[in-house]
Amino acid sequence: YGRLRPTLGAFDRSVRLLVDAAIEAYAEQRRIHSGSVSTDSEGGVRIEWVRPGGSVHLVVPAEESRPPYVYHEVGNDYATEDVTAERLAYWLQSID
């Protein structure tokens, strides 16, 4: 879609989730690794972490009325769920 152009709301929600997930991880003496960031055609934010053991995809829609979610694949298990900072930190730990 060319240059990243997230909506301000999607950007803010993404940053809050990442900062809060980093705080959760730090409390357990872990860190959040870098992910690949992109946007969708509506200005939503997508961040993905792909590792040999699995992948985690954070999706923050452009519209604030639509909740962010996380899609995760670990081994043969995969699912989509509403995201909180705690759940994001949990899934990122599971692919380390």
Side-chain angles (χ1 to χ4, degrees):
Y1 300 110
R3 194 178 78 164
L4 292 177
R5 295 181 187 179
T7 64
L8 184 57
F11 178 82
D12 286 345
R13 290 190 296 162
S14 299
V15 169
R16 277 194 310 260
L17 279 167
L18 288 173
V19 167
D20 291 348
I23 291 168
E24 287 288 325
Y26 181 78
E28 297 176 6
Q29 299 189 0
R30 295 180 297 104
R31 65 185 203 103
I32 301 286
H33 295 282
S34 298
S36 298
V37 180
S38 63
T39 59
D40 61 24
S41 62
E42 298 173 344
V45 174
R46 295 173 182 264
I47 306 172
E48 64 180 20
W49 295 265
V50 179
R51 302 288 182 268
S55 64
V56 175
H57 307 263
L58 173 64
V59 179
V60 181
E63 298 173 18
E64 292 195 37
S65 61
R66 294 174 46 208
Y69 63 90
V70 64
Y71 172 77
H72 47 82
E73 294 182 36
V74 179
N76 292 327
D77 296 326
Y78 56 91
T80 301
E81 64 182 69
D82 291 342
V83 68
T84 63
E86 294 82 7
R87 295 303 291 165
L88 180 58
Y90 170 82
W91 287 114
L92 290 173
Q93 173 190 356
S94 69
I95 64 166
D96 257 354

